[in-house]
Amino acid sequence: MKEKIAIKKVSRDTFHPKSKFYITTPIYYVNDVPHIGHAYTTIVADVLARWHRLSGEDVFFLTGTDDHGKKVATAAKEAGKTPQAFADSVVKRYHEAWKKLDISNDDFIRTTEKRHERVVIEIIRLMNKAGDIYKGEYEGWYCVPDETFLTETQLVKGKCPECGRDVEKVKEESYFFRLSKYQKPLLELYRKNPDFISPKNRRQEIINRVQTGLKDLSITRETVKWGIPFPGDNKHVLWVWIDALSNYLSAIEYPEPKYKKLWPADIHLMAKEILWFHAVIWPAILMSCRLPLPKKVFAHGWLTIEGEKMSKSKGNVVDPLKLTEKYSVDSVRYFLVREIPLGDDGDFSEKALISRINGELVSDLGNLASRVLTLAERCKSYQGNDELSRNLDFKKIENHVENMELHHAINSIFDFIHSVNKYINEKEPWKLEGKQLEQVVYNLLESLRVIGILISPFMPSTAEKLNRQLGVKAGSFKDLKFGKFSGKPRKGEHLFKRVA
Ligand code: ME8
């Protein structure tokens, strides 16, 4: 291709001042109900969304479902339902799970919605206008569980290299996207924006693959019926991935004012198996449409269950709703974010969950609140100082969040919690009376108020419970300054229950 595509360096503030934050999760296939892997991504995105709201940013947090494609059509057939009825029933389970897990998404997009289809058609129109779509024949392999086209050489022992499952042979008429044209612009994008693909260790893998060359991509299916008809040739439906990726624009009403305010996305969050689609295919589509590119695509690792890959046949699929019947929602949220460094693979085990509940949550945080609120019952008024503020390094916590090191952010919050526990032990307020007692209690209440703000993105209902007992309103980061406590504390139940 002779045409030169200019790639600008995408800086955080190219399009907007630091006032908006648009974060997305993948839209999940509705072939089955949500499991803990889906919950993990959605909880992490929720923590980030809540954090940025506390910073005063205008946050838009999007999640949703991928309703189309052969995988969903097959599951529907097996269930004896139409794809639409089947999708509708599974989507309910997603709504239920996200509500239970305190997910604060601002919207929930489904690819079967009209508002989505309209934008998908516009994207195809723009790609076509750029001369990037042509008709041909696809001959190769297709992995239905991953909804991916594969070449003979990509197969490993005749199976899908990603999921290891059977693939099917495909030979059909198809429309193609000139992905090959975007090899150089993509490499330039990665070079100029070193953080575009995060974390770093995944970046090089993508660059290596793109450097070996990009083949044009089949973007329609003739033998699949469950999808958006290809504009101008209804014999074909759009390949589910082109349909799905477009959700990031359709949910913000491209090209309406909402899009102008929110695009480009600040973070597309997902797990590593679909990084290729987000770091290569999606930016290439956007380049073809002449649209700005997202600022960051971040791929986290995979969750295993008690050391094993999650699978139906092993019977170890963890249902997040069932889990929260046994353990509190906040302890599950806390555990997933604290246990696994974002980007690494990680393991979910009930033993490790219980150990963190009984240790960090019950003993360190819950007992601190309980001790302080008991002491507060002995005082009629309080007057203190800000001596505990020097134990809090908010900048450090903020940097950890900015760098997507959420486990470190929690750790640093707990450093402060430990320092407050130490303060009680040193001051021995149970031996104090009058003004001296009032001062120590004030400083402790003030620290709890600050802790309530800091933990709220991770454990929103615990923060609410704590605020209620302190008699204070929910604060944001501008309220982190010490010396503001004016609550009317009243001790309630322990923040967490010990698990036997
Ligand atoms: O890929 N560990 O949908 P999907 C961690 N519809 N995260 C996991 C996980 C695990 N074991 N299992 C699933 C699709 N996830 C497409 C996406 S986006 C335009 C289209 C999470 O239902 C993780 O976020 O297969 C992963 O990327 C996603 O679920 C895959 O969800």
Side-chain angles (χ1 to χ4, degrees):
M1 272 298 131
K2 276 164 236 89
E3 192 183 358
K4 178 125 176 71
I5 297 144
I7 302 298
K8 276 196 253 121
K9 179 164 166 36
V10 188
S11 92
R12 200 178 144 73
D13 298 331
T14 303
F15 303 93
H16 302 275
K18 201 187 166 177
S19 61
K20 69 96 196 173
F21 182 73
Y22 177 23
I23 180 164
T24 67
T25 70
I27 49 170
Y28 306 110
Y29 289 125
V30 289
N31 63 305
D32 209 343
V33 298
H35 59 58
I36 195 162
H38 305 117
Y40 176 59
T41 316
T42 314
I43 288 170
V44 168
D46 185 62
V47 168
L48 291 165
R50 287 176 183 272
W51 184 274
H52 284 264
R53 284 191 200 110
L54 290 187
S55 308
E57 284 168 67
D58 204 348
V59 170
F60 191 73
F61 167 22
L62 177 68
T63 188
T65 50
D66 197 347
D67 293 355
H68 289 137
K70 182 152 187 185
K71 176 171 168 140
V72 172
T74 307
K77 199 167 171 203
E78 280 165 11
K81 290 188 179 177
T82 64
Q84 184 69 58
F86 182 71
D88 292 348
S89 66
V90 177
V91 164
K92 280 199 194 115
R93 297 288 296 274
Y94 270 93
H95 283 296
E96 206 184 324
W98 298 164
K99 185 161 184 257
K100 179 78 194 168
L101 290 171
D102 254 332
I103 302 301
S104 63
N105 52 302
D106 297 291
D107 200 349
F108 187 106
I109 182 95
R110 292 183 61 184
T111 53
T112 38
E113 289 176 75
K114 267 276 163 259
R115 61 168 173 157
H116 173 72
E117 185 172 337
R118 211 180 306 127
V119 174
V120 171
I121 290 169
E122 178 58 12
I123 287 172
I124 296 295
R125 190 187 70 79
L126 291 172
M127 290 165 77
N128 194 38
K129 193 172 147 214
D132 285 346
I133 293 182
Y134 63 91
K135 202 175 184 177
E137 189 187 55
Y138 175 78
E139 185 171 3
W141 298 91
Y142 195 79
C143 170
V144 177
D146 288 348
E147 297 280 13
T148 312
F149 293 100
L150 296 161
T151 59
E152 183 79 38
T153 52
Q154 280 177 298
L155 303 185
V156 176
K157 294 190 185 139
K159 310 257 183 191
C160 169
E162 189 61 58
C163 69
R165 283 175 282 198
D166 288 339
V167 288
E168 55 184 42
K169 182 104 186 131
V170 175
K171 187 169 189 257
E172 61 189 19
E173 185 185 271
S174 178
Y175 287 86
F176 285 82
F177 168 44
R178 290 188 205 281
L179 182 62
S180 56
K181 170 175 159 185
Y182 294 96
Q183 182 196 21
K184 281 211 177 87
L186 283 166
L187 290 170
E188 205 180 330
L189 164 73
Y190 309 145
R191 189 176 59 76
K192 286 194 176 161
N193 299 277
D195 295 329
F196 175 75
I197 304 175
S198 291
K200 278 205 167 33
N201 57 350
R202 305 235 184 274
R203 179 173 178 264
Q204 201 52 45
E205 290 168 23
I206 296 283
I207 293 177
N208 293 348
R209 235 179 110 182
V210 174
Q211 267 167 347
T212 62
L214 290 174
K215 284 175 101 127
D216 289 350
L217 187 67
S218 172
I219 56 163
T220 58
R221 297 294 320 263
E222 208 183 2
T223 51
V224 176
K225 299 292 164 219
W226 180 231
I228 297 178
F230 187 68
D233 191 348
N234 288 355
K235 210 163 72 180
H236 296 260
V237 305
L238 207 56
W239 176 45
V240 67
W241 267 102
I242 303 290
D243 173 351
L245 289 161
S246 308
N247 91 88
Y248 303 132
L249 286 178
S250 65
I252 56 167
E253 300 166 10
Y254 171 80
E256 301 301 327
K258 192 168 185 178
Y259 156 82
K260 291 193 183 105
K261 179 178 149 205
L262 292 167
W263 193 255
D266 292 75
I267 300 182
H268 289 315
L269 184 69
M270 76 228 61
K272 60 188 181 182
E273 84 288 357
I274 54 172
L275 178 60
W276 177 261
F277 298 89
H278 287 82
V280 179
I281 298 176
W282 181 227
I285 292 173
L286 290 165
M287 285 175 192
S288 172
C289 297
R290 306 284 191 270
L291 294 175
L293 307 177
K295 294 179 188 175
K296 193 193 274 296
V297 293
F298 189 99
H300 64 68
W302 276 338
L303 271 187
T304 52
I305 307 299
E306 317 274 349
E308 296 219 47
K309 198 171 168 201
M310 204 176 354
S311 81
K312 265 195 167 169
S313 53
K314 284 203 189 101
N316 65 350
V317 177
V318 175
D319 174 347
L321 286 176
K322 290 226 173 78
L323 199 63
T324 56
E325 281 163 16
K326 210 162 158 194
Y327 306 99
S328 73
V329 169
D330 278 0
S331 60
V332 172
R333 290 176 59 111
Y334 173 85
F335 174 78
L336 290 173
V337 180
R338 172 65 190 83
E339 178 80 2
I340 308 154
L342 199 57
D344 292 0
D345 291 338
D347 190 47
F348 173 82
S349 91
E350 288 202 42
K351 199 167 155 226
L353 169 64
I354 293 170
S355 151
R356 288 203 186 271
I357 293 176
N358 289 341
E360 292 142 36
L361 298 182
V362 174
S363 301
D364 297 346
L365 174 57
N367 284 352
L368 171 66
S370 167
R371 283 165 98 187
V372 173
L373 286 152
T374 304
L375 281 167
E377 287 175 344
R378 288 180 49 208
C379 304
K380 286 207 178 62
S381 63
Y382 334 88
Q383 204 170 16
N385 56 42
D386 65 354
E387 65 180 319
L388 274 165
S389 71
R390 71 177 89 98
N391 296 341
L392 177 67
D393 189 347
F394 179 62
K395 196 79 222 137
K396 184 172 165 194
I397 303 171
E398 208 176 22
N399 282 341
H400 284 317
V401 175
E402 187 71 19
N403 297 329
M404 305 289 274
E405 298 162 338
L406 297 183
H407 65 303
H408 282 326
I410 292 192
N411 236 354
S412 300
I413 296 170
F414 271 74
D415 283 346
F416 181 61
I417 293 173
H418 296 145
S419 81
V420 182
N421 270 318
K422 192 159 164 253
Y423 178 81
I424 304 196
N425 295 341
E426 282 168 8
K427 293 283 176 187
E428 302 184 308
W430 47 91
K431 293 184 182 163
L432 302 176
E433 296 285 345
K435 284 257 168 296
Q436 276 185 318
L437 175 66
E438 283 176 16
Q439 185 177 350
V440 172
V441 170
Y442 176 91
N443 293 351
L444 290 168
L445 288 168
E446 184 59 334
S447 302
L448 277 186
R449 182 186 66 79
V450 165
I451 289 167
I453 297 171
L454 295 172
I455 63 167
S456 65
F458 304 91
M459 297 185 279
S461 69
T462 303
E464 258 176 47
K465 227 190 223 177
L466 180 58
N467 287 340
R468 245 192 334 270
Q469 297 194 25
L470 291 171
V472 299
K473 285 209 200 88
S476 67
F477 292 153
K478 66 179 175 1
D479 305 309
L480 285 177
K481 216 167 136 29
F482 282 67
K484 285 191 160 195
F485 189 81
S486 61
K488 291 198 174 39
R490 206 147 59 103
K491 193 172 177 220
E493 62 170 14
H494 200 287
L495 296 182
F496 299 96
K497 285 197 182 74
R498 183 169 291 281
V499 182

